[in-house]
Structure formats: structure tokens, C-alpha cells
Amino acid sequence: DTEVTQTPKHLVMGMTNKKSLKCEQHMGHRAMYWYKQKAKKPPELMFVYSYEKLSINESVPSRFSPECPNSSLLNLHLHALQPEDSALYLCASSQDSGRSNQPQHFGDGTRLSIL
Amino acid sequence: GNSVTQMEGPVTLSEEAFLTINCTYTATGYPSLFWYVQYPGEGLQLLLKATKADDKGSNKGFEATYRKETTSFHLEKGSVQVSDSAVYFCALVYGGSQGNLIFGKGTKLSVKP
């Protein structure tokens, strides 16, 4: 069983819709991450939150808006997405983003399809 | 720059065969090295890690040794099972920050009964 929980597992939305992806962890981790994974590719980093503050934004379009309400929760708000945004969105957490020897723990992802 | 190169797949083996998936890296300083596994329809799971030269990571019968002299971290298993069928990602973290997690392209393993 994964210790990082993502909801929903699947999401289909139109290009004009607004939706949110949710991620939750109860391991006491202080760093949380969003990745985008296209089919047959490795994950690509989108955002990093460290102690509830956005520390890395990998030049992600503004139609993706992250939010970290508290140390256990991470949201990704979606608006006016494009068909090329269809992908698996993975959330991860780690003890501290500054510890290279402490690995990230991944959720099972949300599979997003844009019509 | 920093990068990870792993052998191209797919790799197809019979059950109980020996597995090697090659991984080499380029990095500044002393990176931490990881193998992650992704089963169909799931997220990534940490398989094993090594954080300094000559460390051996092991888990579920899989092993990998951090070889600084050859900048390699090859994954091995003596006897694979059908349940090992998955995509395997070699990865490194450099510069002391998990925000610098770099993945290889992944190697798909299929094990036939």
C-alpha cells in the first residue's frame, strides 16, 4: 500500500473545465512534489514545496496552479488545459528536500485525459 | 551536465533467468543513486538506494553497487519472477537537493513463465 494518497485516480475534463488534483501524506514529510509523466517516459518535475513554501517551479504554464494548504496536503489546480496536458500526474513526498539520501515516496498518480 | 543513461529496453526474460540492467551516470560531486520500479498502472516505488561509493543497495532479491570508478549503478537479480515485470528507472540526486532528482529513460522488463 502506498503511503502517498492521490485522488482522483482518473479524471476526464474538457478544455474549459476547472478541476483539482489532491495529494495527502501522513509520514511527517516536509517536502512535496508534483511530476508529470507521459507514456513510456520518466517523470518530469513540475513543482517542489518545502515546508509549505513553493521552492521550485520548473517553468510550468500558469494553467497549472499548485497549492500546499498544510504540511500533509498538496493540491494541483487545473484550468483551461490543452490536449497535450493529458498524462499521469504523480505526487511525491520526502523527509526534507535538502536531504539527497532520503528518497521520495510516490503516490499511484492521477491519470488525466483532456478532451 | 548531470545525467543518467540506462540500457534501452524492452528486456524479455524467462522466469528464473538472471537479470542485469545497466545504468551509468554523469554528475558533479557525489550524487545519491536510486532504482525505482513502476508496475503497470501504478506510481513509482523505491526499490533500492546507495548514497556513497562502494555502497550496495539491496531489496527483494535485487542488488546494485555504487561504483564511482566506472560511474555505474547496475541493477541485478539472480532469478526473476513473472511478478518482476515492470519498468525500472535508475535515478540520481545531485547537489544535496531532492529537487535535483534525475531519472534515466526507464527499462521495461517482461518476464515470461
Side-chain angles (χ1 to χ4, degrees), chain A residues 33 35 37 40-43 45 48 56 58 88 90 94 96-104 106-109 111, chain B residues 30-32 34 36 38 41-46 49 51 89 93-101 103-106:
Chain A
Y33 312 78
Y35 289 85
Q37 186 180 25
K40 300 184 180 181
K41 299 287 187 183
L45 182 66
V48 179
I56 295 178
E58 291 287 353
L88 181 68
L90 294 165
S94 70
D96 186 319
S97 64
R99 297 190 185 185
S100 60
N101 63 341
Q102 295 297 321
Q104 295 180 33
F106 286 81
D108 282 340
R111 189 161 300 281
Chain B
Y30 302 94
S32 294
F34 305 87
Y36 283 89
Q38 187 171 30
E42 298 185 9
L44 277 70
Q45 298 178 24
L46 177 70
K49 70 175 185 179
T51 58
F89 292 98
V93 169
Y94 70 92
S97 170
Q98 282 288 338
N100 297 328
L101 176 62
F103 290 97
K105 290 186 177 181

Side-chain angles (χ1 to χ4, degrees), chain A residues 19-72:
Chain A
K19 296 285 185 183
S20 297
L21 309 185
K22 298 186 182 300
C23 175
E24 188 169 5
Q25 59 88 12
H26 293 289
M27 294 179 281
H29 289 172
R30 302 314 300 268
M32 297 187 76
Y33 312 78
W34 279 115
Y35 289 85
K36 174 183 179 180
Q37 186 180 25
K38 300 286 276 185
K40 300 184 180 181
K41 299 287 187 183
E44 299 173 6
L45 182 66
M46 301 174 71
F47 303 104
V48 179
Y49 272 83
S50 178
Y51 291 85
E52 300 158 49
K53 294 191 189 311
L54 183 65
S55 63
I56 295 178
N57 176 341
E58 291 287 353
S59 302
V60 178
S62 60
R63 57 186 184 267
F64 295 91
S65 176
E67 178 196 20
C68 189
N70 60 55
S71 60
S72 300

Side-chain angles (χ1 to χ4, degrees), chain B residues 44-91:
Chain B
L44 277 70
Q45 298 178 24
L46 177 70
L47 184 58
L48 52 84
K49 70 175 185 179
T51 58
K52 61 182 187 296
D54 299 324
D55 267 1
K56 177 187 280 189
S58 61
N59 185 25
K60 300 180 182 179
F62 291 89
E63 294 183 341
T65 300
Y66 190 144
R67 301 283 188 202
K68 189 166 174 59
E69 64 275 13
T70 54
T71 61
S72 65
F73 193 53
H74 304 321
L75 182 68
E76 296 182 337
K77 186 175 185 183
S79 176
V80 293
Q81 306 300 310
V82 172
S83 57
D84 294 325
S85 298
V87 179
Y88 293 80
F89 292 98
C90 185

